[in-house]
Amino acid sequence: KAWKYAMICKKNDDYEASLEPLKFLIEKNPEVINYWNEIARAYQKNDQVDMAINSYKKLIDLQPENRDSYFNLALLYKDMDQLSVSRSYWVKASKASPGWDHPTYIEAGLYEQAARSCGFEFEDKCVYQLAADTYRQVVRMGGEHASAAAERVSALQNSIPQKEDYFFRKKQNGDVIK
């Protein structure tokens, strides 16, 4: 009955009301994946970010191979502007599902977002280069985001470092730039 009530609440977009039966169900059966999925979504919809994060982490403990939990955690951290933490979960989502190009595409977007929030100095251009290289990786994967990634590579061509930038900084091809 609790599950049915929680699903009715969800159907009516009353995520706050769905929390009580879901907590009850988890207390009775803490290993049921569906309960954790639903409560994580309910917390997320109610803007209870910390609780949503804890729920997704519990899902990862229960199912470490499930890419969706990593993906949802990465989205939460991205929305909180914790880009490096978000990136680490995109990488984990990619490892959980190697042929899936969506996390890599979003990761490239994180680099682009980070560069945009800075200036347009050489180091910032290097971050744009990292974004373009990551988009190229998505193109090579050939998934559903390949064409959008190719468009982003073209759009970033004027933002990446040019030969002159490297020359004036006495950088050679293959030099590591931190």
Side-chain angles (χ1 to χ4, degrees), residues 86-154:
S86 178
R87 180 192 171 275
S88 70
Y89 282 106
W90 293 123
V91 170
K92 290 176 183 180
S94 293
K95 287 180 182 176
S97 185
W100 191 30
D101 68 341
H102 195 206
T104 308
Y105 180 78
I106 302 271
E107 180 185 351
L110 288 178
Y111 296 139
E112 193 175 348
Q113 180 181 347
R116 260 191 246 119
S117 67
C118 297
F120 207 65
E121 298 299 319
F122 177 71
E123 291 79 12
D124 305 321
K125 289 181 178 184
C126 290
V127 178
Y128 280 115
Q129 180 69 56
L130 180 59
D133 291 345
T134 307
Y135 282 127
R136 283 188 191 95
Q137 181 181 351
V138 173
V139 171
R140 285 190 301 274
M141 292 172 84
E144 71 178 82
H145 294 89
S147 63
E151 289 175 15
R152 294 304 315 142
V153 169
S154 295

Side-chain angles (χ1 to χ4, degrees), residues 28-67:
K28 296 292 181 189
N29 297 302
E31 304 299 315
V32 178
I33 302 298
N34 286 344
Y35 300 162
W36 284 105
N37 272 324
E38 292 303 326
I39 203 164
R41 284 190 203 106
Y43 283 134
Q44 197 169 354
K45 294 286 187 177
N46 285 323
D47 292 324
Q48 295 178 354
V49 177
D50 290 338
M51 296 301 290
I53 288 171
N54 290 338
S55 298
Y56 283 123
K57 286 182 178 180
K58 177 64 177 176
L59 277 165
I60 289 170
D61 289 342
L62 293 172
Q63 278 187 315
E65 73 285 349
N66 186 342
R67 70 185 191 184

